[in-house]
Amino acid sequence: MAKFEIVENHPKWDQFVEKLECPSPFANSSFLKLVDTCYDGQSFTLSVVSSGNIFMGAALRKVGRHIRPAPPMTYMPLIYDKLSHRTLLDAQIALGEYLKKNFSVIHYISATSFFQDVRGFQREGFGMQVLYTALSDLKDFDIMKVEQKQRNIIYKAQRENIAVEETRDMEPLWDIYISTFDRKSIEPPYSKDFFMALPELGEKIRIYTAKKDDGRLVGFAAILLQGKCAYYYVSGNTHEGLSLGASPLLMFTILEKLKKEGYSYFDWCAINLPRLANFKLSFGSKAVPYFALYYEPKWLRMLKAR
């Protein structure tokens, strides 16, 4: 087994993240710092290091001796450089051993869609849920990749003169966001403080609006950027926007823009709810598995089994 050192908050973490072709935006320090200003607990990173180089790592969040995500953290991601299958296995074992030694409960570390091998964590007794995201290959994306029904809605929205623009003003978007969840009778996942602070991510985030030709807002979407990949993060629509097809036009326009700018992939960030899956997969994306890893002590597993 290769010898690795586990380093918390390694000073070269961001350099490691930035050089990866398709890491996760949830792993960079600017995102973690933003979460810390709005939620209890403490974000941190663990780097798997050998000979001074980071080979693999995880962006996590601790509350006491528990590892668990804050509400806005869709993932607490594992990321890694190009490793042989044997080295990757050893790195996972080293990280798994460290986590079990220093924390009592771990819920949930998520391997990204590019991190498919989690055998090392399984060997260390971690449980695993298989979940799915949708991934669009932007290199050959065009309107013909979109399902016919969705294309018709996009054409309709174009005839209605829906315009797509960038913004940094979150105030008018908050009401749309809240109303979107009110219609579903569910609590919005993000607090207002966090939502309003999203522009602080700077170049790591883009916020797009859909507007009627008279300037009325009918929808919005915010995406996160990292490496050659972009990630769907938060969105909302008015009743009018839904009837006009603003959301399909908005997302199609965003995907076209990203392709022209040289981005390779668009991660729709989870399709585990059928309603959302149908929309995200209609843009020619493919369902891709990712893994939610967890660890619970034996006494907790026994208590749950009662």
Side-chain angles (χ1 to χ4, degrees):
M1 177 176 175
K3 291 185 178 180
F4 292 105
E5 177 187 7
I6 308 300
V7 179
E8 185 169 333
N9 296 326
H10 195 290
K12 293 185 178 180
W13 173 261
D14 278 339
Q15 291 99 307
F16 171 67
V17 172
E18 291 296 333
K19 74 177 183 179
L20 302 177
E21 181 178 355
C22 289
S24 166
F26 307 102
N28 68 68
S29 60
S30 59
F31 184 85
L32 300 178
K33 288 175 183 176
L34 184 62
V35 171
D36 283 346
T37 65
C38 301
Y39 293 93
D40 294 333
Q42 181 183 358
S43 298
F44 69 107
T45 62
L46 290 179
S47 298
V48 185
V49 179
S50 180
S51 301
N53 297 313
I54 304 175
F55 285 87
M56 189 179 82
L60 305 171
R61 186 163 183 77
K62 56 187 173 184
V63 181
R65 284 180 52 82
H66 289 204
I67 295 289
R68 66 169 183 253
M73 294 186 72
T74 308
Y75 305 110
M76 292 196 298
L78 288 163
I79 53 176
Y80 73 106
D81 208 347
K82 296 174 183 177
L83 301 174
S84 70
H85 65 89
R86 179 68 249 182
T87 306
L88 178 60
L89 184 67
D90 290 346
Q92 290 179 23
I93 291 171
L95 184 55
E97 289 176 344
Y98 181 92
L99 286 166
K100 290 194 301 180
K101 179 180 178 181
N102 290 278
F103 299 96
S104 57
V105 178
I106 302 162
H107 287 148
Y108 289 91
I109 304 173
S110 297
T112 69
S113 56
F114 296 96
F115 199 134
Q116 297 290 306
D117 184 348
V118 293
R119 292 172 300 147
F121 291 99
Q122 288 179 296
R123 289 192 186 187
E124 287 303 305
F126 280 66
M128 180 181 73
Q129 286 185 317
V130 182
L131 302 172
Y132 287 85
T133 186
L135 200 65
S136 292
D137 187 338
L138 297 177
K139 295 186 291 293
D140 63 350
F141 177 77
D142 59 35
I143 188 65
M144 297 310 296
K145 296 290 183 181
V146 182
E147 290 181 1
Q148 181 65 60
K149 181 179 179 181
Q150 204 70 284
R151 291 206 303 269
N152 292 339
I153 296 173
I154 291 169
Y155 297 146
K156 174 186 175 182
Q158 290 173 333
R159 292 193 298 271
E160 294 287 345
N161 296 317
I162 302 293
V164 176
E165 302 173 355
E166 281 194 57
T167 186
R168 307 298 282 185
D169 183 7
M170 302 300 289
E171 191 66 46
L173 307 185
W174 175 250
D175 290 340
I176 296 176
Y177 177 68
I178 288 297
S179 66
T180 299
F181 286 91
D182 284 345
R183 289 196 301 270
K184 303 170 188 175
S185 299
I186 57 178
E187 195 74 20
Y190 308 135
S191 70
K192 185 173 184 179
D193 286 347
F194 184 80
F195 183 91
M196 300 299 289
L198 285 174
E200 294 178 18
L201 293 174
E203 63 182 13
K204 298 293 186 185
I205 192 167
R206 299 252 190 95
I207 304 143
Y208 294 93
T209 59
K211 292 183 178 180
K212 280 285 291 173
D213 48 8
D214 61 3
R216 280 180 295 121
L217 278 168
V218 292
F220 77 91
I223 62 170
L224 299 175
L225 304 171
Q226 189 72 45
K228 293 186 178 181
C229 199
Y231 298 74
Y232 186 89
Y233 192 52
V234 60
S235 65
N237 294 279
T238 65
H239 276 294
E240 183 181 20
L242 288 172
S243 65
L244 294 176
S247 185
L249 176 62
L250 183 61
M251 296 313 303
F252 172 71
T253 304
I254 290 172
L255 293 178
E256 276 199 320
K257 287 178 179 289
L258 292 170
K259 177 185 176 180
K260 290 177 182 177
E261 293 175 16
Y263 287 90
S264 298
Y265 302 99
F266 186 80
D267 190 327
W268 291 85
C269 285
I271 54 170
N272 300 306
L273 297 176
R275 176 181 54 80
L276 295 178
N278 292 336
F279 176 77
K280 294 175 179 181
L281 291 171
S282 70
F283 287 84
S285 59
K286 294 182 178 180
V288 179
Y290 66 95
F291 306 103
L293 302 165
Y294 62 92
Y295 182 81
E296 298 171 337
K298 185 176 180 180
W299 65 265
L300 182 56
R301 295 196 298 270
M302 294 175 64
L303 187 63
K304 286 185 173 182
R306 289 182 178 178

